[in-house]
Amino acid sequence: MFFEIFVILVLKTGVSLGKYNVGVLYDLSEWSLQDLPNINVSVPTNNVTPYQYYLDGSDVFNITRKVCDLSGTEILGFITFTSCNKGLILSNHASSLNLPHVLVTKEEKPCILSSSQPTLSILTDCRLLNGAFLSIASHKNWKAVNIIYDDSYDEYCIQYLVDQFSSAAIFSTTFLLSNDSDIEASLSSTERGKETVIFTALNVNKTIDTILKASSFEMFSRQYFWVFSIDPNLLWDIHEPDALQNGNVLTVSRNIAHKMDSSLSDIILSDVIMAYRHSLQLMLSYNSSYSIGTYDCDSNRPTPGGSQLHQSLLQTSLQEILGTSSWTSAGSWDNTIYIHSCQAGQNVTFSEVATYNYLDGFRVQDDRLFKNLFKDFGNRTLTVVSWTSTPFTIRGLKGNNSIYYYGFCYDIFNEFAKVFNFRYVTIDSVDGTYGGPTANGTNGTGMVGMVMRGEADIGVGPFTVTASRETVIDFLTPFQEEGVGIIMKTVDQKADQMFRMFLPFQSTSWIATGMSIVVTGFILSIVSRLSPYTRDADKPIHQNVWLAFGAFFGQMGGDSTPTSASGKVVLGIWWMCTILILELYTANLAAYLTIPPAKSPIKNLEQLAASSDYKPLVKTGSNLDFLFKRAKGGLYKQIREKMEDMPVIKTTEAGYDLVKTGKYAYMTDVSQLTYKVLKDCQSMLVAEETFNKAGLSFIIREDAEFKTAFNLHMITMIEAGLIAKFRSKWWPLGSECDALSSKKSATELQIDSMAGIFIVYGAFTGLAILAFVAEILFAYYIYPFLRHKRIQSAEKIALNDSS
């Protein structure tokens, strides 16, 4: 049957409505008796006269005839509780009579009504809820969502929601719960990521079961974002409130069911009758003689005042029980969707954070949806723990002997204080160490333990990001990546100072230069001997070697050059080489004479492990201390063995003091060592290589509510170049040593820097004197003696021959 049973009620609405009535039609094939409103409870008037008809629903014209029978009464309009398809037929009938008509349906599938018909609708249309879902996802810029639903949400609605997400470039994965066993499987199959977003469209019981199961899976942590389609008041008595109050949870609802103990149909009927009353009062206020008039179905004569009352209804909000809701210009019910956020606290509490309707769209109260997500501290005072690590954190004393810290890390931290509206007080590390977790992981030492136990809110300093520390505390986004350097005392270079003029070239370079002179001399000699255009004086080897040697120092002239063309080519190429060599030597010599080069006795960790002159040092309780102490083998174990009698080092300055003794090599973040060398380059230097690179960051307690906000701001400062600006303040491009050297001129060289030249000159002068003495001895003593002997031998031979 098309219509099974209709109950037609004519409602006399009392004094406000005068003699007017409102007809109420129920379709018992769509609405059960339990779902229908209680007339005696719902209607806000005592003048209710029910009319009951038993109709044959096979003939729609018979039904409309019964409606026409009401023409003897000036009826304002009527309300129909039926399906969408049957409502469309009644809409056509209402249009022909020019009577206002309110259609109420339970279907989730959208019911499209013609805007030309005088029909208003109160529909549980899922498009409104889907619009709220889409608005939330778009506001949060989510790129992927999971949707868990059951048969209480129509398949058309889910497909419509998926299409909306797809149009907004949001990937969605759907899970249908057909029974309770599907909850665990659906939760396990959700697409996980940095942010896991889950929307639910479930009935009340399955929603609560899902919450309890997700709690057992620990799915209410910071990475999960939940949007439940449920009245938040139904979650007040949930058995596990901690799961919700610690998580990011939103509820989306129409906020109707909890306002009365009666059924939804009671609420709707009562508010619609009141809307008719208010609309009529509005019409009478403008025209006291207003009348909707009568209509005649037989002559097809519509009511004269029905269209005016329809327009008045469009402007009348349903404010009594349904809450502030109205109709759109097309006649659809524009109910407000209320969005609530769970808040952290001792009890599960929800607060309204946003609304959604067709007229106003999506409205967020303070640009925050999830109340558990951090915004700022509201001028709260935080406790910050630090320990001196120049220039990252530098400890100072105020006039009242209270401590304060400044430095590179505090330049960064003060930016956080400005943006997130908080003040802070600083305290020292409880034991003067950075610290780490204990062996059983239940506690921690140093500043790590203080933050872990809640004695401090934040640890500010160059904390090295390690896996062991992260088991008990959380790190913010690292502000820089850092390696470990080795600093040691500079080698006493006074022994090399006198011969610094030879330092521009290494010994291999000097040997190669000397061999080049000899080789060039041999080549010249060979060319001279084989060339037919060479003088006899150019042929001796010693003559050509001396020529190459003289050319190297620019000492040439007269007939010293070869006469043959081939010899001149060889010598010309040698001239070009000598010019380049001498220019390189001259340029490098200037730097070596004005700025003494630092010699590093240790270049890397391997040389430190093998050195017998230096003992390794690290700050007690630091990450390096734990790293070497826990080493089971290899290079780190060798360092640990050399550290067995290491003194306790609580500050970096204490490490520098031991380094100055010349017996220790101190290891810490290379930035700290670079800063020290910039200030004191005369007595300390840093090894060429670093090791154990890791990020440096601040520490906070696990799952701190401000972690995400702080991380985003740290990234913003890095991208904006603010961190680099702070770094250039503490690590300038020029050091104090550069400043000192720039003030010196080339004439300020001390005598000891030039002594090597005179020593070499004296040595070669002495060699020349020896050569001179040898020549004198040879010419006046040895040669005459040898000549006399040779003459005697010749005379003896001649005498023997004559005899």
Side-chain angles (χ1 to χ4, degrees), residues 588-604:
N588 213 19
L589 180 63
Y592 272 84
L593 290 177
T594 54
I595 303 175
K599 282 189 176 182
S600 176
I602 294 175
K603 295 183 178 180
N604 50 45

Side-chain angles (χ1 to χ4, degrees), residues 239-257:
H239 297 297
E240 295 191 18
D242 290 342
L244 293 179
Q245 71 183 24
N246 292 329
N248 304 313
V249 177
L250 294 181
T251 63
V252 179
S253 66
R254 295 184 177 90
N255 272 24
I256 297 174

Side-chain angles (χ1 to χ4, degrees), residues 247-286:
N248 304 313
V249 177
L250 294 181
T251 63
V252 179
S253 66
R254 295 184 177 90
N255 272 24
I256 297 174
H258 71 279
K259 294 188 176 182
M260 285 186 64
D261 294 333
S262 57
S263 67
L264 179 60
S265 59
D266 291 333
I267 299 171
I268 292 175
L269 179 60
S270 177
D271 257 23
V272 172
I273 294 297
M274 293 301 296
Y276 270 109
R277 173 184 288 179
H278 293 161
S279 299
L280 180 59
Q281 288 175 336
L282 180 63
M283 299 302 299
L284 292 173
S285 66
Y286 288 108

